[in-house]
Amino acid sequence: MKRALILSNARLAIIASIVMVLSALPQAQAGEGHDHGDSGAAPSANGPQRLPDGSVFLPKPAQRQLGVRTMATVDAELPRSVELTGMVLMDPNAGGKVQPLNAGRIEPGPRGLPNPGQTVRKGEVLAYVVPSAAPIERSNQSSQLAELRAAKSLADKRVARLKELADTVPRKDIEAAESESASLAERIAAIGGGLATREALVAPVSGVIASAHAVAGQVVDARELLFEIVDPSRLRIEALAFDPALAANVGSATLAIGNQRVPLEFIGAARSLREQALPLGFRAQGAALNSLAVGQPVRVFVQTKEKVKGLAVPVASLMKNPANQTIVWVKTAPERFEPRTVTTESLDGISVSVTAGLKAGDKVATQGATLINQVR
């Protein structure tokens, strides 16, 4: 038993000696191209990364790939602006509505019934309305027409007899008979035309069909709206101002359509409130208005006559940080961008006025700011 214990201790000593020798040997390294990707490797210091102070390191190749563009800010006196909710309306001088004067049945015009978006010219016939009449009214008109035709036949015969006796009959009797025959002919034509005529619906202005509510064979009432015609390049914008004093302080106004800025001409303000707001009217012109539809809500930026000191930057430059604060990214070095918390005011829908957080000469990222904000 004692001998077995001595042999076991000797074996443990030998194993410990082998482990110490193996640990002293250099570690085997995989050949080039045969490593299996150590997940614990440190990230490359040459790629885009967020630095501990919150700034972003963005190498030049990455800036070109992301399309980053900057602009130098300029301190200026900018108008104090107010953003209002507006709506696109038809210009009454460049648009119109088509309504029948009488009830009846719709028939297509020479070119068929117009479709929404179709271009029409002033005076073009869009459709016809065949007047509808009650059977008793139509029968009364028919009987009256028969009586007039019989009376005209007698008048024509009387004129013929008087002309045969022209040598013995006074000239005034012949002229009276002819006048009576002509009067009966005109009455017959008027009543007959009333029974067979149809009302032509013509375009009051040149433009585009904004809405169509007519189908062949449809029975419509008088004054029912069938077509609306607008000129897409001439529209009215109506904005609601909850401060009535704003009407006397309007300097200029703009409408933002995508990346385009459309100037508006202030027409005037109403003198009655609508839903506790004062309607302000603006006139808009230009090809950019073709993308708008009547009744579409829009944002109107009214520049007042008051001035505020600030720096104009594009709306695309504004971002949000994790604290939900408005920031912009300022280029402080060729490959470094720092976030700046700013205070802004509305300007024209395309740009905003920064009143705090920036100084003149700062290079603000105008393109690619969203990608810079996502670097981690």
Side-chain angles (χ1 to χ4, degrees):
M1 185 67 178
K2 183 176 182 181
R3 183 179 180 181
L5 183 60
I6 294 173
L7 291 175
S8 178
N9 292 337
R11 290 175 182 175
L12 291 176
I14 293 173
I15 293 174
S17 300
I18 294 173
V19 172
M20 293 178 62
V21 172
L22 291 177
S23 62
L25 293 177
Q27 296 292 332
Q29 300 291 335
E32 182 179 358
H34 295 278
D35 58 333
H36 299 282
D38 187 4
S39 59
S44 174
N46 295 326
Q49 56 183 314
R50 184 69 65 97
L51 300 179
D53 61 353
S55 61
V56 170
F57 172 74
L58 197 63
K60 285 293 184 181
Q63 294 184 30
R64 289 189 291 268
Q65 185 178 6
L66 299 179
V68 177
R69 297 291 184 271
T70 61
M71 63 167 287
T73 57
V74 179
D75 199 357
E77 292 289 335
L78 303 175
R80 188 180 298 276
S81 301
V82 179
E83 181 179 350
L84 303 177
T85 301
M87 181 174 293
V88 180
L89 301 179
M90 177 193 304
D91 189 338
N93 296 318
K97 298 182 178 182
V98 179
Q99 299 171 278
L101 297 177
N102 304 295
R105 187 180 68 257
I106 295 292
E107 289 186 356
R111 296 174 52 189
L113 293 175
N115 299 315
Q118 180 178 335
T119 303
V120 295
R121 296 182 176 274
K122 181 179 181 180
E124 180 180 347
V125 177
L126 306 180
Y128 294 100
V129 176
V130 179
S132 60
I136 187 64
E137 295 179 0
R138 186 172 293 274
S139 61
N140 290 338
Q141 291 179 349
S142 298
S143 63
Q144 186 178 1
L145 183 62
E147 293 177 0
L148 292 175
R149 286 174 178 171
K152 184 178 184 304
S153 177
L154 294 176
D156 292 342
K157 293 178 180 180
R158 184 167 179 268
V159 170
R161 288 195 302 269
L162 291 177
K163 285 184 177 180
E164 292 177 356
L165 303 175
D167 296 337
T168 59
V169 176
R171 181 64 183 172
K172 64 179 182 178
D173 293 343
I174 299 176
E175 292 178 351
E178 291 177 346
S179 177
E180 182 181 358
S181 176
S183 175
L184 291 172
E186 292 180 358
R187 293 175 63 185
I188 291 173
I191 295 178
L195 290 174
T197 190
R198 55 183 181 175
E199 181 184 355
L201 303 178
V202 300
V205 294
S206 298
V208 175
I209 300 294
S211 64
H213 311 281
V215 181
Q218 176 184 355
V219 178
V220 298
D221 295 328
R223 297 184 296 179
E224 183 175 344
L225 179 62
L226 299 181
F227 303 103
E228 282 185 302
I229 304 174
V230 299
D231 186 351
S233 60
R234 296 175 57 187
L235 296 173
R236 288 281 180 90
I237 306 296
E238 184 183 79
L240 297 179
F242 289 92
D243 183 9
L246 181 62
N249 196 24
V250 176
S252 60
T254 56
L255 176 67
I257 303 177
N259 294 327
Q260 299 184 5
R261 184 188 298 107
V262 179
L264 300 178
E265 180 184 353
F266 180 58
I267 301 174
R271 288 296 177 264
S272 61
L273 295 179
R274 182 193 306 165
E275 298 178 356
Q276 304 302 319
L278 187 67
L280 304 180
F282 299 90
R283 181 185 295 114
Q285 295 185 3
L289 301 176
N290 293 332
S291 60
L292 299 179
V294 175
Q296 177 179 344
V298 292
R299 295 186 304 160
V300 178
F301 296 87
V302 178
Q303 288 84 37
T304 64
K305 300 176 183 179
E306 303 176 1
K307 299 293 182 180
V308 59
K309 189 175 183 180
L311 303 93
V313 298
V315 176
S317 300
L318 302 181
M319 296 291 123
K320 292 290 185 180
N321 61 7
N324 202 30
Q325 295 175 317
T326 303
I327 63 171
V328 296
W329 287 96
V330 178
K331 189 175 185 180
T332 58
E335 296 182 341
R336 184 171 179 176
F337 291 83
E338 292 183 358
R340 299 277 182 85
T341 304
V342 296
T343 303
T344 63
E345 292 186 7
S346 301
L347 190 57
D348 56 10
I350 305 299
S351 302
V352 296
S353 175
V354 177
T355 57
L358 288 179
K359 61 180 183 297
D362 286 342
K363 294 183 178 180
V364 176
T366 58
Q367 295 183 18
T370 304
L371 301 175
I372 297 175
N373 202 45
Q374 295 176 0
V375 175
R376 294 292 182 266

